[in-house]
Amino acid sequence: MNISYYSQIIKKRRYMIISCLLSGIIIAFIVNVAKKPVYKSRSTIEIKIRSLEQEQSEGQYNVTINEIISTECRKIVTYPIIRKTAESLNIISENFSAEENNGILEYIQENTFAERIKGTNIIQVTSVYNNPKKVASIVNKIIQIYIDKRMEERDSHFYKIIDPVERQLNEVRKTLDEDKEMLRIFSEKYGYAEDSEVLKAKLVDLELELTKLLRKYNYQHPDVIDLKSQIKETKKKLDLSSRRIQLIAKVKSNEELYDSLDRKFKKYLSMGADRIERLSIISPASVPIRPVKQGKGLNLLIGVGAGILFGLFLVLIKESREFSVKDIEKIETALKIPIIGVIPYIERMDKIAELQNRLLLYQSAKSPITESYYNFWTNIRLALSEKKGKVLLFTSADSKEGKTLTVINCAIASAMAGIKTLLIETDSKALSVQRVFNLSQRPGLNEIISKGLNWREVLQGTTDFFKTKYLKSHDVDNLKVITYGEEPSDPMGVLDSGEMDLFIGEAKREFELVLFDSSPLLLSAEPVILSTKTDNVVLVHQIGKVPLELLRRAKMQLEDANVSILGIVINNVRALEKYPHYAYYPGKYFKQKRIKHEREIVKLPGSGEIKKVLVVDDEYTVANVITKMLLKKSKYEYKTSMSSNGVDALNKIDTFKPDLIILDLNLPGIDGFEICKKIRSDPQKKNIKILAISGYDEPGKRERILSCGANEYLTKPFDFAKFVDYIDKLPQ
């Protein structure tokens, strides 16, 4: 999309944008008028904080002054303080409902702010209210309640810290006094014991001497008894000495613990148990004289901007979702080429699996997608019958316009109609064809041209692919594919070579229709080169993908190469989602009835009534092409109808009463042979002419159907011009 494209959209939808702009202005005006005047008042308080440098160097605190003040700012505007302020000023009352009180409190809290003045310990408290006197009272009361609450917290915090230390100090003092008393009593009772080391040495000597005496005397000897008495006395003194040492150590330990707790207790007393020493009001809030500016000009500017943006948003939504038949006609008028297909919106297909699910064989026969592709294929057959060509190049202006899905479904529709079709992949960037059908990349087109491989050996079928999708046989053996192959060093040289001309010539002789999936025109020169070697070009365009100017430029590139453009296919048309029965045929849109086609203009010469033709074929594409060719190519006018199975055909014969039946032999249920026999067995239907057709010619088939009563038998595919001439003669 370029600027010119968007300018055209804005110009076309200018009234929608203007309406949204006026709506935005009106809304902004209403908001400005509805706003009541509000007043602002502010006050400042200073928080004196102890120096944190020493405390942080000692590892006592890990917070900064900024964190402390930020915490205090948040505390000032907490809900309890706001509620207590409103209650003390009688702003809320028990006479009000709970919802009214809560609304007032929320308004005050949302419009009250506490912020630190940068680089200072000063907090500025600001509030906005609809009453000038009350707003000043609110600010002053908030600050007063905060200071009172902060002092209570400080005292509570102080005692919370100091009480455990004081209790511990008292317990240690009591224990110390008890230990000292025990030491005093011990000393008074036992005196000062000898040194424990001396007693230990004396005890060792006595025990050695006892050992020597026992070698000479027994235990009853007086010297042994005396020595044992000395040992016992020494041990007793040693025990008393140890007990005294333990008491002294315990007293000393408790004295040290007491001194430590005493220092800690005195330090907390001096610090006040908090870093905040004093809160002081620097400037109280005063009554404001005039209301604050409420940004009415800004509101108007926002309204203008929002209106324009919303208008543009609606325009883009409308443009993307409402692409009408009239808009499609504009493309045809601007490009001056016929639109041969209109495909409804299909969801994005970035993944190959999603692209496979959009193939024609997987769609409901009554879906808008299937209907659109059938009509597209019919238009191609009609156009090719006039231009006498069988090699088509599919291209687009830009990538991701649905080109590959369109050419693949065109090839499938052709194969289902019994036409021997060849699909050739030449889009080297996407390589989507081979991935959709799960085909091997090599060998492919480049091996045919560059390495001289026999192109018949390179052909790949799609029957196996469709069988893996659990589908019934749909004549997909008529569809053959040649993939791109290995990336050549000179892609354009391959396409512009004489070998390519020879290959296309041979393919035309063996296939009834040859389709090329080419690169986008605006991204590569390859489609222009290849288009000079094909009979016609089909341009695929997705609505909203590229602007009309770029689409016209793509068409001019083809015209400069002097190639024939068969027509353009329009993808992604959302209008067909709501109106699926609208289809496009060259030169005109009209409402299409799928089963019944009737025109009454000219009667056959010498006849008193218009002849009726019933087309019976289980392949809707074939029946539709026959009907359209009959209506378009015949020199007479017919009343036509279609049927897709034997039972419905027999009912149509009774109600429609045709003069001619174009009867396919391979029908579900009752086949063409049985239908022919039933018709000839009824005397009232003996004058009905029967033209039998079949895509599978077998020995004896012609004789069999003629013996059943058919007037003539033809095999598909057939020359439509001769076919129509034959039909014009048969009813007469």
Side-chain angles (χ1 to χ4, degrees):
M1 299 294 181
N2 56 20
I3 296 177
S4 176
Y5 177 78
Y6 283 116
S7 299
Q8 293 177 7
I9 294 177
I10 292 173
K11 185 177 180 181
K12 182 173 67 173
R13 306 288 185 183
R14 60 185 179 275
Y15 295 113
M16 181 183 293
I17 298 175
I18 292 173
S19 299
C20 293
L21 172 61
L22 292 176
S23 299
I25 293 174
I26 292 172
I27 292 173
F29 178 77
I30 293 173
V31 170
N32 287 337
V33 171
K35 278 189 172 182
K36 296 181 180 179
V38 293
Y39 300 85
K40 180 188 291 185
S41 185
R42 61 173 57 93
S43 177
T44 53
I45 59 174
E46 181 181 14
I47 300 180
K48 289 187 177 180
I49 302 176
R50 291 175 54 86
S51 176
L52 293 180
E53 286 77 5
Q54 182 179 357
E55 296 174 13
Q56 290 175 343
S57 65
E58 295 174 357
Q60 297 180 25
Y61 301 103
N62 294 316
V63 295
T64 63
I65 294 176
N66 187 47
E67 291 173 341
I68 295 173
I69 296 181
S70 296
T71 302
E72 298 305 314
C73 288
R74 288 190 289 270
K75 288 181 178 180
I76 290 174
V77 293
T78 54
Y79 180 81
I81 291 180
I82 298 297
R83 183 176 185 86
K84 193 171 183 180
T85 299
E87 289 174 348
S88 61
L89 296 176
N90 296 322
I91 297 176
I92 61 174
S93 171
E94 295 180 356
N95 298 327
F96 299 157
S97 66
E99 292 183 357
E100 290 176 334
N101 286 332
N102 290 333
I104 294 172
L105 293 175
E106 287 179 6
Y107 177 84
I108 296 175
Q109 189 171 19
E110 289 174 358
N111 291 277
T112 301
F113 312 95
E115 299 173 332
R116 178 190 183 190
I117 298 178
K118 191 175 181 180
T120 68
N121 294 345
I122 298 174
I123 296 177
Q124 180 174 271
V125 181
T126 306
S127 186
V128 176
Y129 199 65
N130 55 18
N131 187 301
K133 292 183 179 179
K134 282 190 176 181
V135 71
S137 301
I138 288 172
V139 175
N140 290 328
K141 181 59 70 172
I142 286 174
I143 291 177
Q144 187 59 51
I145 292 174
Y146 162 72
I147 292 175
D148 294 343
K149 184 176 179 62
R150 196 64 188 88
M151 293 301 102
E152 291 177 4
E153 290 178 354
R154 186 182 68 175
D155 294 341
S156 174
H157 190 198
F158 170 75
Y159 289 114
K160 189 180 293 185
I161 294 175
I162 203 70
D163 284 350
V165 177
E166 187 176 15
R167 284 196 301 271
Q168 190 178 7
L169 183 64
N170 292 332
E171 290 174 359
V172 173
R173 181 187 294 114
K174 181 179 179 182
T175 303
L176 178 60
D177 291 341
E178 291 175 353
D179 292 339
K180 285 182 177 181
E181 180 63 21
M182 288 178 62
L183 181 60
R184 184 188 64 78
I185 294 172
F186 183 86
S187 299
E188 290 179 353
K189 184 175 181 180
Y190 300 105
Y192 293 97
E194 298 180 25
D195 186 78
S196 60
E197 296 298 328
V198 175
L199 291 173
K200 289 179 181 179
K202 182 178 179 181
L203 181 62
V204 171
D205 293 339
L206 290 174
E207 288 178 345
L208 288 174
E209 187 176 352
L210 178 62
T211 303
K212 293 178 181 180
L213 288 176
L214 288 175
R215 292 175 183 172
K216 296 179 181 182
Y217 310 109
N218 57 23
Y219 286 99
Q220 283 77 28
H221 193 277
D223 292 339
V224 172
I225 294 172
D226 181 59
L227 191 57
K228 286 177 66 177
S229 176
Q230 292 181 32
I231 290 173
K232 183 177 180 180
E233 184 66 24
T234 303
K235 285 182 177 181
K236 182 178 179 181
K237 290 180 179 180
L238 182 60
D239 180 60
L240 291 174
S241 178
S242 297
R243 288 173 60 189
R244 178 180 174 81
I245 291 172
Q246 290 176 358
L247 288 172
I248 292 173
K250 189 174 181 181
V251 169
K252 185 177 181 181
S253 174
N254 285 332
E255 284 178 344
E256 291 175 354
L257 178 59
Y258 178 81
D259 291 340
S260 175
L261 290 173
D262 187 55
R263 287 193 299 270
K264 186 176 181 180
F265 180 73
K266 291 177 179 177
K267 183 177 181 180
Y268 283 160
L269 287 176
S270 63
M271 290 176 59
D274 199 348
R275 289 185 293 279
I276 300 179
E277 290 185 332
R278 186 165 58 89
L279 300 172
S280 59
I281 300 175
I282 298 177
S283 60
S286 58
V287 178
I289 299 174
R290 59 180 63 88
V292 298
K293 295 181 179 180
Q294 301 186 59
K296 293 184 177 181
L298 179 61
N299 291 339
L300 185 61
L301 184 61
I302 292 174
V304 170
I308 293 175
L309 291 176
F310 186 67
L312 292 174
F313 175 75
L314 290 181
V315 166
L316 293 177
I317 293 296
K318 193 172 184 63
E319 282 294 316
S320 64
R321 292 189 175 274
E322 296 186 7
F323 200 90
S324 64
V325 170
K326 182 179 179 181
D327 297 318
I328 298 176
E329 289 177 336
K330 288 181 180 178
I331 293 179
E332 185 176 31
T333 303
L335 298 180
K336 296 180 181 179
I337 56 176
I339 295 178
I340 58 175
V342 179
I343 310 300
Y345 170 76
I346 301 177
E347 295 179 1
R348 288 189 63 186
M349 296 163 294
D350 292 336
K351 297 179 181 179
I352 292 298
E354 295 178 5
L355 190 63
Q356 291 173 341
N357 291 332
R358 294 300 178 182
L359 295 181
L360 192 60
L361 292 178
Y362 301 147
Q363 305 303 312
S364 169
K366 297 182 180 180
S367 72
I369 297 174
T370 303
E371 187 80 9
S372 299
Y373 276 115
Y374 281 150
N375 291 330
F376 167 51
W377 166 238
T378 302
N379 295 336
I380 286 183
R381 290 299 306 272
L382 292 173
L384 288 179
S385 66
E386 296 176 354
K387 293 197 174 186
K388 305 297 181 184
K390 60 168 62 177
V391 182
L392 292 181
L393 173 74
F394 280 72
T395 185
S396 59
D398 199 0
S399 61
K400 296 184 179 181
E401 292 200 62
K403 166 181 59 64
T404 298
L405 181 62
T406 301
V407 67
I408 290 176
N409 277 334
C410 181
I412 293 174
S414 174
M416 291 172 62
I419 296 174
K420 196 174 180 182
T421 306
L422 175 61
L423 175 59
I424 304 172
E425 180 179 42
T426 60
D427 189 347
S428 59
K429 301 298 187 295
L431 300 177
S432 297
V433 173
Q434 67 185 46
R435 291 189 287 166
V436 167
F437 290 123
N438 294 329
L439 302 176
S440 59
Q441 181 178 350
R442 303 182 189 85
L445 179 64
N446 291 318
E447 283 73 19
I448 296 172
I449 305 303
S450 302
K451 299 181 180 180
L453 294 183
N454 188 334
W455 63 272
R456 296 172 184 83
E457 298 177 357
V458 178
L459 293 176
Q460 300 186 63
T462 58
T463 305
D464 292 338
F465 167 75
F466 290 119
K467 284 181 180 178
T468 61
K469 298 297 181 179
Y470 307 102
L471 294 172
K472 298 179 180 179
S473 175
H474 283 86
D475 291 334
V476 290
D477 54 336
N478 289 324
L479 175 60
K480 302 298 178 184
V481 180
I482 294 179
T483 58
Y484 185 74
E486 186 177 4
E487 179 73 26
S489 57
D490 184 14
M492 288 188 288
V494 171
L495 297 178
D496 200 23
S497 64
E499 289 79 2
M500 177 64 78
D501 295 331
L502 293 174
F503 162 65
I504 293 176
E506 293 180 7
K508 288 173 66 174
R509 287 191 291 272
E510 295 199 18
F511 285 89
E512 300 171 72
L513 186 64
V514 180
L515 305 177
F516 281 89
D517 178 26
S518 183
S519 305
L521 279 163
L522 300 180
L523 303 180
S524 173
E526 296 173 10
V528 178
I529 295 173
L530 193 57
S531 65
T532 61
K533 302 178 182 297
T534 60
D535 298 325
N536 294 283
V537 175
V538 175
L539 193 59
V540 181
H541 173 62
Q542 177 176 311
I543 293 302
K545 179 64 176 176
V546 296
L548 189 59
E549 289 79 2
L550 294 183
L551 190 60
R552 188 183 288 113
R553 184 181 302 175
K555 180 225 177 188
M556 290 174 60
Q557 290 186 16
L558 295 174
E559 290 178 338
D560 292 342
N562 196 26
V563 299
S564 173
I565 302 177
L566 190 69
I568 183 170
V569 182
I570 305 297
N571 270 329
N572 203 36
V573 179
R574 292 180 180 268
L576 295 186
E577 291 178 308
K578 294 182 179 180
Y579 309 103
H581 300 295
Y582 280 96
Y584 183 85
Y585 287 87
K588 186 181 295 185
Y589 285 88
F590 61 91
K591 193 169 184 179
Q592 174 198 17
K593 295 183 180 179
R594 181 177 178 191
I595 301 300
K596 190 175 181 181
H597 303 267
E598 298 183 274
R599 294 171 63 188
E600 298 183 67
I601 302 176
V602 180
K603 297 180 181 179
L604 285 168
S607 175
E609 60 181 6
I610 295 175
K611 298 295 183 180
K612 299 178 181 179
V613 179
L614 174 63
V615 182
V616 183
D617 199 307
D618 62 333
E619 295 289 349
Y620 171 74
T621 303
V622 176
N624 194 33
V625 169
I626 291 173
T627 303
K628 294 307 171 187
M629 291 299 295
L630 184 61
L631 296 175
K632 181 177 178 64
K633 294 292 184 179
S634 175
K635 56 187 176 183
Y636 306 120
E637 298 298 329
Y638 295 97
K639 183 182 292 184
T640 62
S641 183
M642 295 196 310
S643 181
S644 60
N645 59 76
V647 175
D648 182 66
L650 292 173
N651 292 330
K652 283 279 180 69
I653 292 170
D654 292 333
T655 58
F656 185 62
K657 301 185 183 304
D659 299 289
L660 169 65
I661 300 175
I662 301 174
L663 179 63
D664 182 37
L665 298 182
N666 299 316
L667 295 173
I670 304 176
D671 61 15
F673 297 99
E674 292 297 323
I675 292 175
C676 196
K677 290 179 181 180
K678 289 181 180 294
I679 293 173
R680 293 307 179 212
S681 64
D682 188 347
Q684 296 181 358
K685 301 173 184 175
K686 63 180 180 179
N687 294 326
I688 297 177
K689 305 295 183 181
I690 301 175
L691 173 59
I693 60 175
S694 177
Y696 301 93
D697 193 17
E698 300 171 354
K701 199 171 190 178
R702 176 183 178 84
E703 290 75 14
R704 181 185 173 193
I705 188 60
L706 291 178
S707 66
C708 290
N711 298 92
E712 188 55 86
Y713 170 73
L714 298 176
T715 58
K716 308 174 190 175
F718 32 71
D719 186 291
F720 274 105
K722 295 180 181 179
F723 178 74
V724 172
D725 288 340
Y726 186 81
I727 291 176
D728 286 344
K729 297 175 183 178
L730 194 59
Q732 303 181 55

